[in-house]
């Protein structure tokens, strides 16, 4: 991009879930028009768009119409077709680019790439057929976690193997879902003290901004709560930031990235995965930072100066999963809105499903322990309501 896009330009986003909707809202606040392409006509981002395309990502006429409408393109998740991004990249700036997407959307390729750059990752083995799993598990050692190489998220497409006897049922599960060319990755299960993540924003010129390291706590593979900033020593926070910057620089990535990390019990940090987009663990930035991760996504895409990453307040973010959204808008919601510093975000998804992220609540406080305490009380209340 030779010069920044001016307000009034149309920017495009592939994917219309809550991340696409939040991107659209940030773009419109900065004066840009937004085109959303999502095959689901009921996707939340369509309602925030100036131009909508609700067709398959493989539809060439939809591709042409979307391309004619936009001047730059981004995406809200890493499972959009890389070939589509490659085609669009021949015509418009796409941030991040298709080559980065190809590396990140395949867990085997991603781990091999990071390992080849000397970056620390858990030990892993590629599994190209279900019957190869037992041998890989014996070679790698147990416990281990088997994941689909592509398309898995929020704990989907993952199987824990704690002992040799667990391999048989997992092999049968893999056989039942096998498609031509399907692959899996087996990773040593990391005994960790904390799961951490770092948001990185990187410009075309290689300029970087790093948000404070945060702690993430999961439930059944789904992010439950994020504590920002993480209660870790300054040395650990600096090491996490350095690893994140190194990983994104190695990719030559341009855009917003989230680098997920394990802090092992011996204190060492390992890179778990990288998301080439705004991340659930960065939702706190909407309320607790001077420039949110979504505004940064707009800034990078349009060639604008990167925003500052200053935290205005400690925060704890709690996801609303499935039916919890109904409670949050009924009895629990009426109480949440009276809690000092609580900010409720509902995503406007009309279909409620178990395990589906329907919204989140950010708790702001003068101290991180107070925010965390309010979040814990809220989760306890949600549990008692279910």
């Amino acid at each position: 991009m030779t010069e920044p896009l001016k307000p009034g330009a149309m920017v495009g986003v592939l994917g219309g879930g809550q991340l696409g909707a939040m991107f659209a809202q940030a773009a419109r606040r900065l004066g840009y028009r937004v085109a959303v392409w999502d095959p689901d006509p009921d996707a939340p981002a369509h309602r925030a768009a100036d131009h909508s395309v609700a067709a398959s990502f493989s539809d060439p006429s939809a591709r042409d119409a979307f391309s004619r409408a936009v001047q730059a393109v981004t995406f809200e998740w890493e499972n959009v077709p890389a070939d589509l991004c490659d085609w669009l990249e021949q015509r418009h700036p796409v941030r991040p680019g298709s080559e980065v997407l190809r590396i990140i959307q395949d867990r085997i390729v991603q781990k091999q790439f990071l390992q080849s750059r000397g970056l620390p990752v858990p030990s892993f083995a590629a599994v190209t057929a279900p019957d190869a799993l037992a041998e890989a598990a014996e070679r790698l050692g147990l416990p281990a976690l088997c994941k689909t190489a592509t398309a898995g998220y929020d704990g989907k497409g993952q199987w824990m193997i704690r002992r040799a006897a667990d391999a048989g049922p997992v092999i049968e599960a893999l056989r039942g879902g096998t498609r031509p060319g399907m692959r899996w990755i087996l990773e040593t299960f990391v005994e960790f003290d904390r799961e951490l993540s770092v948001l990185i924003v990187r410009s075309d010129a290689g300029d970087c901004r790093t948000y404070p390291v945060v702690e993430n706590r999961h439930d059944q593979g789904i992010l439950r709560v994020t504590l920002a900033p993480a209660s870790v020593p300054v040395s650990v926070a600096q090491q996490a930031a350095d690893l994140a910057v190194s990983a994104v620089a190695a990719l030559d990535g341009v855009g917003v990235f989230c680098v997920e990390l394990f802090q092992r019990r011996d204190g060492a940090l390992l890179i778990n995965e990288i998301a080439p987009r705004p991340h659930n663990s960065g939702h706190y930035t909407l309320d607790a930072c001077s420039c949110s991760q979504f505004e940064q996504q707009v800034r990078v895409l349009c060639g604008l100066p990167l925003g500052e990453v200053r935290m205005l307040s400690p925060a704890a973010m709690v996801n609303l999963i499935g039916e919890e959204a109904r409670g949050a808008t009924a009895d629990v919601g009426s109480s949440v809105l009276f809690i000092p510093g609580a900010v409720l975000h509902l995503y406007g998804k009309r279909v409620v499903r178990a395990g589906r992220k329907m919204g989140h609540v950010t708790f702001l406080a003068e101290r991180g322990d107070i925010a965390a305490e309010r979040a814990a009380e809220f989760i306890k209340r949600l549990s008692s309501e279910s």
Side-chain angles (χ1 to χ4, degrees), residues 38-372:
D38 191 293
D40 180 4
D42 205 31
H46 284 308
R47 299 192 287 276
D50 298 277
H51 177 79
S52 286
V53 177
S56 168
F57 285 132
S58 61
D59 184 334
S61 61
R63 180 195 65 188
D64 293 343
F66 182 78
S67 180
R68 286 194 298 271
V70 301
Q71 292 172 259
V73 180
T74 189
F75 44 84
E76 71 146 12
W77 72 323
E78 56 271 24
N79 291 324
V80 298
D83 287 346
L84 172 60
C85 290
D86 184 50
W87 186 91
L88 289 167
E89 202 169 33
Q90 308 310 310
R91 295 153 179 82
H92 310 287
V94 177
R95 302 289 183 267
S98 60
E99 286 306 308
V100 171
L101 184 61
R102 289 182 198 280
I103 292 170
I104 286 181
Q105 66 184 190
D106 186 306
R107 289 188 172 98
I108 296 172
V109 175
Q110 181 183 155
K111 285 288 195 302
Q112 290 172 337
F113 176 87
L114 294 171
Q115 189 178 64
S116 72
R117 298 310 191 272
L119 295 165
V121 296
S123 298
F124 67 95
V127 178
T128 57
D131 292 339
L133 178 64
E135 187 275 332
E138 183 177 353
R139 177 162 41 91
L140 197 62
L142 299 178
L145 192 61
C146 181
K147 306 176 183 178
T148 55
T150 59
Y153 66 98
D154 284 349
K156 298 175 177 66
Q158 298 187 15
W159 301 265
M160 175 63 76
I161 304 175
R162 296 191 180 278
R163 53 191 183 279
D166 296 337
V170 174
I171 290 170
E172 289 306 310
L174 301 189
R175 283 178 180 151
T178 298
R179 302 183 303 274
M182 193 168 184
R183 295 143 64 245
W184 300 266
I185 184 171
L186 189 69
E187 298 178 2
T188 297
F189 181 74
V190 178
E191 298 287 349
F192 56 82
D193 267 351
R194 294 182 182 87
E195 292 182 270
L196 306 172
S197 63
V198 183
L199 282 174
I200 299 289
V201 192
R202 190 170 184 271
S203 72
D204 271 320
D207 186 22
C208 280
R209 298 285 187 277
T210 306
Y211 283 89
V213 61
V214 302
E215 179 178 350
N216 301 312
R217 297 175 183 174
H218 292 77
D219 183 9
Q220 298 181 359
I222 302 174
L223 181 63
R224 188 52 164 159
V225 60
T226 292
L227 304 177
S231 295
V232 295
V234 172
S235 60
V236 173
Q238 187 60 58
Q239 184 186 358
D242 290 345
L243 276 177
V245 170
S246 295
V248 175
L251 288 164
D252 197 20
V254 177
V256 176
F257 294 79
C258 180
V259 180
E260 300 176 54
L261 303 153
F262 294 126
Q263 183 185 17
R264 293 193 324 198
R265 289 176 179 172
D266 63 3
L269 295 178
L270 300 175
I271 297 176
N272 177 24
E273 291 185 351
I274 301 175
R277 50 164 173 83
H279 193 264
N280 192 178
S281 68
H283 286 351
Y284 76 92
T285 63
L286 286 163
D287 307 304
C289 294
S290 53
C291 185
S292 78
Q293 61 174 345
F294 300 101
E295 180 175 330
Q296 299 279 23
Q297 187 180 21
V298 177
R299 286 174 177 242
V300 174
L301 181 62
C302 296
L304 304 175
L306 301 185
E308 65 175 359
V309 292
R310 179 165 51 98
M311 283 195 71
L312 306 176
S313 166
M317 187 281 301
V318 176
N319 274 325
L320 297 172
I321 311 296
E323 292 291 342
E324 291 176 351
R326 299 190 195 277
T329 55
D331 296 337
V332 175
S334 62
S335 300
V336 166
L337 298 178
F338 284 105
I339 298 174
V343 186
L344 177 63
H345 296 260
L346 296 175
Y347 302 152
K349 297 178 180 178
R350 296 192 174 104
V351 178
V352 178
R353 292 194 298 267
R356 193 180 198 194
K357 295 170 183 172
M358 304 298 295
H360 71 269
V361 181
T362 305
F363 296 89
L364 307 175
E366 58 272 23
R367 296 202 320 265
D369 60 331
I370 297 174

